[in-house]
Amino acid sequence: MATSELTTTVEVVSRRMIASGVVELLLAREDGRALPMWSPGAHIDLVLPDGTSRQYSLCGDVGDLRTYRVAILEEPDGRGFSRRLHQEAVVGSTWTLRGPRSHFELAASPDYLFIAGGIGITPLLPMLHQADASGARWKLVYGGRRRASMAFVDELEQFEDRITISPESDHGLLPLDVWLADPRPDTLIYCCGPEPLLRAVEDATRHWPPGALRVERFSPVPSDDDTVDSPFEVELAMSDLVLTVPAGKSVLDVVREAGVRILSSCQAGTCGTCETPVIEGVPDHRDFVLNADERAANDYMMICVSRACTRRLVLDL
């Protein structure tokens, strides 16, 4: 139940531009204590005083708990969060950090194919090191608009023939039809990047075994679904409350209005912060976090976006 997690103040102890439009920050706890353990694929929230936050993948050494490393792409057409970090996250500045958490963990496999687009390299970078340490076979295909805008290219060169760096300016779009033409039952595919790449990889792997592809999204997929939402009830087992969730209002909003504390961040079904255990009922999963098996199990739901297929849900809140 997502009611608490580490929230602390961190200081920027190192800053450098590692590619065009990409800044790398090393963050350490202001109180000098060790940061929480994490695993490849984990991300943190950086939180502004007004409560707005954004998720950034951890891309450093999992064994170094003195600092967290993040790489942030400045998005000129975004909502200003990345621009503010680029301008204000100087050495010595302090920021609120929440997390870490992960719904993009590296499962054990003898063989991996990693596909990165642009800043999507960040969650995959620690995965490469873990796969390498495990003795697994693996390949990385890394695309971007141009080489100068692709982060960590120099760092990746240590892996030599296991990586393919393919800037669009030099080679065009990634040849997914070549890399994904033949399904391999013992291979897991991990992909992170912009939405067009994720959709292209999803389309190109439809003939692969179920569960072979794992993706991470940091923005919701626009929906053309014109389904009309219906009201339903949620019973909060720990709080002894029964609440009505009307059309047009999320479970998260209704639960908070009833005075029940629960964490959330993105409120778009992408970060997993508000993951809540389901005791009874069938959720209408609308998140971008759970995989097909997790959805079918109906053990958890993201209450910021998901609704109900049944007239009542019983939640462990």
Side-chain angles (χ1 to χ4, degrees):
M1 182 171 56
T3 58
S4 65
E5 62 183 353
L6 174 69
T7 299
T8 189
T9 301
V10 292
E11 178 182 351
V12 177
V13 296
S14 175
R15 169 195 170 102
R16 66 185 180 118
M17 297 301 296
I18 55 173
S20 177
V22 181
V23 64
E24 176 199 82
L25 304 177
L26 291 186
L27 308 171
R29 284 185 65 157
E30 191 179 39
D31 60 13
R33 298 172 62 186
L35 290 156
M37 296 178 64
W38 60 282
S39 58
H43 64 265
I44 59 169
D45 294 342
L46 291 179
V47 189
L48 295 182
D50 64 4
T52 59
S53 63
R54 296 291 181 274
Q55 295 82 48
Y56 296 101
S57 295
L58 295 176
C59 55
D61 178 359
V62 297
D64 178 11
L65 300 182
R66 298 169 300 172
T67 61
Y68 282 164
R69 180 170 73 162
V70 295
I72 299 163
L73 171 68
E74 184 174 13
E75 301 178 80
D77 299 327
R79 290 171 285 181
F81 202 104
S82 65
R83 190 180 310 114
R84 181 168 177 178
L85 288 174
H86 270 250
Q87 294 172 351
E88 300 179 22
V90 297
V91 173
S93 63
T94 57
W95 301 81
T96 298
L97 177 148
R98 193 166 61 207
R101 71 185 72 90
S102 181
H103 287 276
F104 193 47
E105 296 180 355
L106 187 68
S109 177
D111 193 6
Y112 300 97
L113 174 60
F114 299 101
I115 304 174
I119 200 64
I121 188 63
T122 52
L124 302 185
L125 191 57
M127 292 186 179
L128 306 183
H129 290 279
Q130 179 169 316
D132 204 52
S134 74
R137 302 181 302 273
W138 63 268
K139 292 281 188 181
L140 167 69
V141 183
Y142 180 17
R145 292 183 178 177
R146 52 195 178 92
R147 189 180 181 92
S149 67
M150 298 170 66
F152 302 117
V153 169
D154 293 343
E155 186 172 323
L156 287 166
E157 288 179 348
Q158 65 179 295
F159 295 118
E160 299 178 338
D161 59 346
R162 283 174 289 181
I163 65 168
T164 298
I165 306 294
S166 185
E168 185 178 348
S169 59
D170 297 337
H171 306 290
L173 297 175
L174 292 176
L176 298 177
D177 55 337
V178 174
W179 287 97
L180 301 171
D182 299 320
R184 301 192 296 275
D186 60 347
T187 300
L188 291 180
I189 305 165
Y190 281 80
C191 180
C192 187
E195 187 59 32
L197 172 65
L198 299 183
R199 290 198 175 194
V201 171
E202 287 171 338
D203 289 341
T205 54
R206 296 192 187 281
H207 61 301
W208 280 66
L213 174 63
R214 318 290 173 91
V215 304
E216 182 170 48
R217 285 181 162 91
F218 284 109
S219 59
V221 179
S223 175
D224 54 6
D225 187 359
D226 57 0
T227 301
V228 177
D229 290 334
S230 300
F232 60 96
E233 289 185 341
V234 289
E235 178 182 341
L236 309 186
M238 294 175 62
S239 305
D240 196 24
L241 291 173
V242 176
L243 308 171
T244 298
V245 181
K249 185 172 283 191
S250 70
V251 177
L252 176 65
D253 288 339
V254 170
V255 167
R256 281 182 165 173
E257 289 173 1
V260 178
R261 181 175 180 269
I262 186 166
L263 289 176
S264 71
S265 181
C266 71
Q267 298 189 34
T270 60
C271 73
T273 309
C274 68
E275 181 180 71
T276 300
V278 178
I279 298 173
E280 293 180 18
V282 179
D284 177 8
H285 296 289
R286 302 185 182 184
D287 65 275
F288 305 98
V289 174
L290 300 176
N291 60 37
D293 290 340
E294 291 167 336
R295 290 186 172 204
N298 290 319
D299 292 330
Y300 297 90
M301 66 182 290
M302 307 303 152
I303 63 173
C304 65
V305 292
S306 297
R307 297 186 67 82
C309 296
T310 49
R311 295 182 62 183
R312 175 180 284 209
L313 295 174
V314 181
L315 304 180
D316 191 16
L317 286 174

